[in-house]
Structures are given as C-alpha cells and as structure tokens.
Amino acid sequence: MFKIYNTLTKKIEEFKPIENNIVKFYACGPTVYDFAHIGNLRAYVAEDLLRRVLELNGYKVIHVMNITDVGHLTSQADEGEDKVEMSARKERKTAWEIAEFYTKAFLEDIEKLNIKKPSVMPRATEHIKEMIEIVKKLMEKGYTYFTSDGIYFDTSKFQEYGKLTGMDFKRLNRYLKVGARVPFSKEKRNITDFALWKFSPKDVKRQMEWDFIIEKDKVDLEKVKDNPNIKIEENFVNLRGFPGWHIECSAMSMKYLGETFDIHAGGIDHIPIHHTNEIAQSESYTGKKFVNYWFHVNFLVVEGKKMSKSLCNFYTLKDLLNKGYSWREIRYLLIQTHYRKKLNFSFRSLDAAKKTVEKLRDIIIKIKQVEREGEKTLNIEEIKSKIFESLNNDLDISSSLSHFWKFLKSIKITKISKIDAENVINLILWFDQILGLKLDEFLKEEIEKEALELIKEREKLRKEGKFEEADKIRELLKEKYKIIVEDTESGTIWRKF
Ligand code: AMP
Ligand code: ZN
C-alpha cells in the first residue's frame, strides 16, 4: 500500500487513484529563460522518484509536465517583465528562440540525469485558446474584474481561497503583504488577487502576444480605453495580450488529465501563490475538486540559503559535470535525501556521493565474477520487501537506502555462491528501477581481452606455485591496465580503479 504526504490535508494518506490502476500526475515544469540549476533539478528528480515508485506499485502513470514559455513575470505580484522576453532582450534573440533554446537544454538535462521523460510536455504558447476559454467562463461566473493592465481573479470570491496553505484569507493576505518585494498594484482589490490575462503594455512592444476577442458589453471600457494595443470595435473588443502564469498550469493540466486528477507536484515555493491560485481558478471554473494529492518538494540549499538565480549561489548540471562529477553521482546526491527535507548541497556531500557510487560499481563488478558452486543462503525477498515498504511510506528513500547498504555490507563477496551472487545482482537491478542509476551498465563493463588472458595466466602460475611470476603479472595489470586483482575463495576477482 502506497502512502504519501498530502499538502492539502497535511497528513500522510493512503494513495487511491481516481481510476483503478492509472495515476494522473501533473508537475509544474521549467520556465525556459535560462539553464536549470541543480535546485530546480532536485524537484524534478524527486518527482521522478515518485513516478518510479508508483510504477513499481503497478500503476500506469500519465505524467504531464508543462513548459512555461510565456507569462512568468519577474515578480510574483503580476508585475515586472516577462522572464522569457527579458532574456531575449539580454541575449539579443527573439523570445521564441530563447524558449526553444532553453527547452532543448532542459530536455538534455533531464535526459542526462535519467529522469523519465514525461508522457506529455505541453508548451504554454500552444495552449492560449484553452486559457482564454477558462478566463471567459470565469468572467461569466463573476469571479473577475478589470484593471488597466489586465483581467484579475477576485480571490475573495472563492470561499476556500488559501486552503493549501492552512491560512485563512486574511492571514494569507497579511503574509503576502509582508513577504512581497515589490509594491502591489493599487488597482487590485486584494493582495492575493492575480492576473488571469495581462494586456500588452502601452509603452513596450511585446514579442509574444495574442488576440483575445470578447463582446464589448463584457469589458470595463474605462479601464482599457487608453491602451493603444486594445482595439475597441463596434461590438467587440480585442484585449490583446498574454496569459498569467497560473492559468497556464490550470489549462494544460485539465486539458490532458481532466477536471479532477490525482497528483499535482512542484517545489514548496509554489504553495502560497502559484498552486493556491491554480486551485482557486480551476475550482471556480469547474465547480469540482481540482486535485486529490498535492506533492511538494523542499529546497536544495547552500549554506542554509535556497539555491537560486537571484542569490547567485547556483550550479547548473553542466557546471558540476565540468568539474569532473558524473551524472550518476549528481543524481545520487539529489535523490538520497527525503523530498520533504532540505537538501544541503556542498562539494563534500557530492564527494561522498561519488564515493558511494564508486563503491556500488565495485560491488557489482566483483559480484558478477563470482563462480563458486553452492547453495542459496541469502534472503533476498526479505530485504526487497523492507526496501519496498520504506519507499511506499511517503517515499522514504533514506531508510530504503540504509536497508540496501546494510545488506550489501553484510555480504562476504569472497564467500558467496553463484546463485546468491545472481540474486544479489537481481536485487540491485530491481532497486535501480527506483534509483535510476543505470547500474546494468556496470554489469556490462568489460576489461580488455589481453588483460583477461593475463589474469588467467596469473591464476595458472599461482596454481603451479610460481608466485614470483604471478606477482609480476599482477604489477603489469596494475600499471598498464589499471586493474587490481584479488584472490578469493571463488577465484580471482578483478576490478578497475
Ligand atoms: P522555476 O523555473 O523557477 O519555476 O522553478 C522550477 C521548479 O524548481 C519549481 O518547482 C521550483 O519550486 C523548483 N525550485 C526552484 N529553486 C529550487 C531550489 N533551490 N530547491 C529545490 N527546488 C527549487
Ligand atoms: Zn505550475
């Protein structure tokens, strides 16, 4: 039985999907204006872990992750510049080129980290029609109002506003007022109100903008009449502009997963604004519950501070690869801390992950060479079920890893039988469905043919008692082939260093 912490209820709950063995899972994707840093990637690795554990439980997971290529502004308060347009200005490219370039870079990053590719990756710019439809219905239902820069959602009209945060409406408004870095527009009725649709500004020519044609009697003409981008015709008005960031996720998740779906994921920073607003607009639009389980990943921090672009304390995946760490070591580091705990990034912890991965490789290479005849003595099923149980308990990766390592350390590789060795390898490969470290590649690692012949030759010499000659070969293997040989009860075992 799979249990998961639900931010909505603040409890660990038994997971029950809406449809028998299908899980409809939405994860907020990247804003494609720059490279992802490993803090961002931690969130995607944790979501990948969730997906893998669901799959191990036999569920078919429909995993949707959007690409935010428009509408994410530099401030959380619906002000500031569009991040993609800002990057276009800085890099002297078009906004479309920026979005294309960083989408590709993101896809490369997740592939490198062996994060399973989501089933669908919708781009916001390709779903404007769906967003406008939701905004129009919310207008009809009386949830919206006009300001001079856009159509806003009146959060006071949604009874349960803020339910994800555990704060009531007043408290949440106070909380955002204190935490906000920029002044909120005076035209907003409540601090928590947010833009569903922003009009193209008077003074700046946007690259990404769309028509929004609506009957004239539905528009607050007073508010828009001074904006030259807004065309007022006899019966219709074109509110030319672009969508708010929050509406994008509501439109794309509901399009691919239905009006109510199972799991919605993102970083914990999305709880008070982005996800709270997604709930408000989606539930006001459909009149139904939007999502059953909310899954939030804690931050990756550096010396106690959230890794972020603005603090300039970030590393991209490429930065770490260039420093000589492998993708496996980085993935191991990102996956090993429970997703609801802060992950403290340091090069010391990355070095420790490196050592651990090397150790795992060593064990795999040694175990696969075991040839010793004998009985089955290891209880693999018991350890498997302990690992599985931990994973099913709110993705307790730390305790499943500790079961795994405790078991591996208890094995005497030099003494076990071939049957045991095969079973241990199967266990490692089974667990690797979760770890995602492509450990089968270690299994396939081979050494040069000549080196293998030298090892055999050395064994023969040893049997004949010609130890001096055997030692010379041992030296040669070390110097020329970087291979260390070890003599065990099951014969000679090699490993590369
Ligand atoms: P963004 O591209 O800024 O929207 O972020 C993409 C995802 O990464 C979101 O789910 C964020 O919550 C998450 N995120 C951003 N910074 C961090 C961090 N330092 N640690 C963990 N997750 C983060
Ligand atoms: Zn989102």
Side-chain angles (χ1 to χ4, degrees):
M1 191 224 305
F2 177 56
K3 285 183 284 169
I4 189 80
Y5 181 84
N6 187 352
T7 312
L8 193 59
T9 58
K10 312 227 167 344
K11 285 195 194 97
I12 294 182
E13 293 176 15
E14 187 182 326
F15 177 72
K16 289 196 191 111
I18 299 164
E19 270 176 63
N20 248 337
N21 67 335
I22 295 179
V23 180
K24 295 182 175 173
F25 171 38
Y26 185 86
C28 288
T31 304
V32 283
Y33 71 108
D34 201 346
F35 294 107
H37 57 64
I38 55 159
N40 302 129
L41 292 168
R42 184 218 180 169
Y44 302 119
V45 167
E47 288 156 7
D48 185 56
L49 172 67
L50 169 61
R51 173 174 170 178
R52 285 168 182 265
V53 172
L54 287 165
E55 286 176 346
L56 199 65
N57 275 279
Y59 293 114
K60 177 177 168 8
V61 180
I62 306 176
H63 180 187
V64 179
M65 184 190 281
N66 69 298
I67 298 286
T68 299
D69 50 3
V70 66
H72 196 169
L73 305 186
T74 47
S75 129
Q76 294 262 39
D78 297 307
E79 317 244 327
E81 206 175 346
D82 187 310
K83 291 187 180 188
V84 174
E85 299 233 350
M86 177 191 69
S87 184
R89 186 168 50 74
K90 285 189 181 155
E91 295 193 25
R92 295 173 187 276
K93 288 186 184 147
T94 69
W96 302 94
E97 283 164 349
I98 290 290
E100 191 57 42
F101 178 82
Y102 289 110
T103 300
K104 202 164 154 264
F106 176 73
L107 292 176
E108 281 167 15
D109 279 355
I110 62 170
E111 194 183 340
K112 273 191 202 130
L113 280 177
N114 198 24
I115 291 172
K116 288 193 172 191
K117 194 163 180 222
S119 335
V120 194
M121 296 191 83
R123 289 167 201 238
T125 48
E126 289 167 8
H127 294 79
I128 304 294
K129 188 170 83 34
E130 288 83 349
M131 297 168 202
I132 291 179
E133 198 183 300
I134 299 176
V135 179
K136 283 187 174 169
K137 180 122 177 236
L138 289 172
M139 289 171 81
E140 262 166 43
K141 286 185 153 188
Y143 283 102
T144 64
Y145 61 93
F146 277 75
T147 72
S148 57
D149 69 18
I151 302 169
Y152 280 72
F153 186 94
D154 184 343
T155 51
S156 68
K157 297 210 166 138
F158 179 61
Q159 282 297 311
E160 297 177 292
Y161 189 79
K163 62 181 168 182
L164 196 60
T165 64
M167 287 185 248
D168 65 14
F169 188 73
K170 268 195 184 153
R171 226 179 108 207
L172 188 51
N173 267 271
R174 253 200 327 270
Y175 168 80
L176 292 182
K177 192 174 178 179
V178 175
R181 283 197 227 127
V182 290
F184 285 86
S185 151
K186 290 200 177 59
E187 291 183 80
K188 276 187 5 180
R189 293 181 187 164
N190 309 287
I191 284 172
T192 40
D193 293 356
F194 57 92
L196 294 163
W197 184 260
K198 295 265 296 188
F199 309 137
S200 291
K202 284 187 221 174
D203 36 0
V204 192
K205 176 74 192 127
R206 278 188 62 92
Q207 299 183 37
M208 290 175 159
E209 52 177 11
W210 292 266
D211 289 341
F212 184 125
I213 315 260
I214 189 160
E215 294 86 345
K216 199 170 176 177
D217 58 354
K218 294 192 174 145
V219 177
D220 187 342
L221 293 172
E222 246 337 276
K223 292 280 190 320
V224 300
K225 67 179 187 339
D226 296 330
N227 187 335
N229 293 312
I230 293 179
K231 298 276 176 285
I232 304 172
E233 309 286 345
E234 201 180 326
N235 296 316
F236 291 92
V237 178
N238 184 357
L239 302 167
R240 197 160 169 80
F242 60 100
W245 171 39
H246 318 303
I247 196 75
E248 299 179 359
C249 282
S250 287
M252 290 184 275
S253 59
M254 288 195 283
K255 170 163 180 172
Y256 294 99
L257 300 173
E259 291 181 342
T260 305
F261 54 93
D262 297 301
I263 308 177
H264 193 313
I268 52 167
D269 49 342
H270 289 343
I271 299 172
I273 301 179
H274 184 50
H275 290 166
T276 285
N277 292 345
E278 275 189 54
I279 293 176
Q281 65 203 0
S282 307
E283 298 195 354
S284 303
Y285 169 69
T286 64
K288 296 177 193 161
K289 188 178 184 190
F290 179 42
V291 170
N292 286 337
Y293 301 87
W294 286 88
F295 175 88
H296 288 103
V297 184
N298 208 329
F299 293 139
L300 181 143
V301 296
V302 186
E303 285 161 10
K305 291 203 176 79
K306 177 188 173 193
M307 178 173 281
S308 70
K309 301 258 161 67
S310 54
L311 290 177
C312 283
N313 60 351
F314 67 92
Y315 291 99
T316 63
L317 181 60
K318 205 167 154 197
D319 291 337
L320 298 184
L321 293 171
N322 286 345
K323 282 182 184 287
Y325 295 98
S326 73
W327 71 267
R328 276 193 186 89
E329 293 149 12
I330 300 163
R331 181 172 169 106
Y332 193 88
L333 176 79
L334 296 180
I335 208 169
Q336 67 177 347
T337 301
H338 189 257
Y339 74 96
R340 284 197 287 127
K341 289 202 177 116
K342 282 198 176 95
L343 192 164
N344 227 317
F345 174 80
S346 67
F347 282 98
R348 249 178 72 193
S349 54
L350 189 51
D351 288 334
K354 186 182 177 76
K355 280 218 173 81
T356 309
V357 172
E358 274 163 11
K359 190 160 193 177
L360 200 49
R361 173 171 168 263
D362 214 54
I363 292 174
I364 292 171
I365 290 176
K366 277 187 181 165
I367 289 187
K368 80 164 185 178
Q369 297 174 64
V370 171
E371 293 289 348
R372 197 163 184 262
E373 295 298 318
E375 307 269 293
K376 171 176 179 279
T377 61
L378 299 172
N379 191 346
I380 302 282
E381 286 314 311
E382 187 191 6
I383 178 75
K384 217 170 166 176
S385 75
K386 276 186 186 165
I387 292 175
F388 199 26
E389 219 171 274
S390 300
L391 291 169
N392 274 349
N393 180 22
D394 192 29
L395 307 182
D396 190 350
I397 187 77
S398 335
S399 107
S400 61
L401 277 168
S402 94
H403 288 308
F404 180 65
W405 278 109
K406 205 167 140 200
F407 174 71
L408 287 186
K409 282 179 187 160
S410 73
I411 301 171
K412 299 246 176 315
I413 297 177
T414 53
K415 298 221 164 100
I416 60 172
S417 67
K418 194 174 169 66
I419 298 174
D420 277 336
E422 276 167 7
N423 287 336
V424 174
I425 285 185
N426 285 339
L427 169 78
I428 293 174
L429 294 182
W430 170 82
F431 192 30
D432 195 39
Q433 294 175 82
I434 298 301
L435 297 177
L437 297 172
K438 296 193 185 173
L439 298 175
D440 56 325
E441 288 180 1
F442 291 155
L443 212 53
K444 288 183 213 138
E445 254 182 54
E446 290 296 344
I447 52 172
E448 295 85 341
K449 226 171 133 198
E450 304 91 82
L452 205 59
E453 270 159 24
L454 281 171
I455 292 171
K456 279 188 196 146
E457 170 73 16
R458 182 177 164 275
E459 261 188 297
K460 198 171 139 249
L461 289 168
R462 270 172 48 84
K463 276 188 194 135
E464 291 165 4
K466 298 178 179 161
F467 297 110
E468 239 172 73
E469 284 171 65
D471 280 352
K472 274 191 194 142
I473 295 183
R474 180 201 285 261
E475 280 309 301
L476 182 66
L477 283 164
K478 201 170 154 191
E479 304 264 296
K480 189 168 170 197
Y481 298 97
K482 305 261 175 277
I483 287 172
I484 290 180
V485 283
E486 205 180 312
D487 301 309
T488 76
E489 288 181 29
S490 345
T492 303
I493 287 177
W494 56 262
R495 80 183 158 84
K496 281 206 158 191
F497 65 90

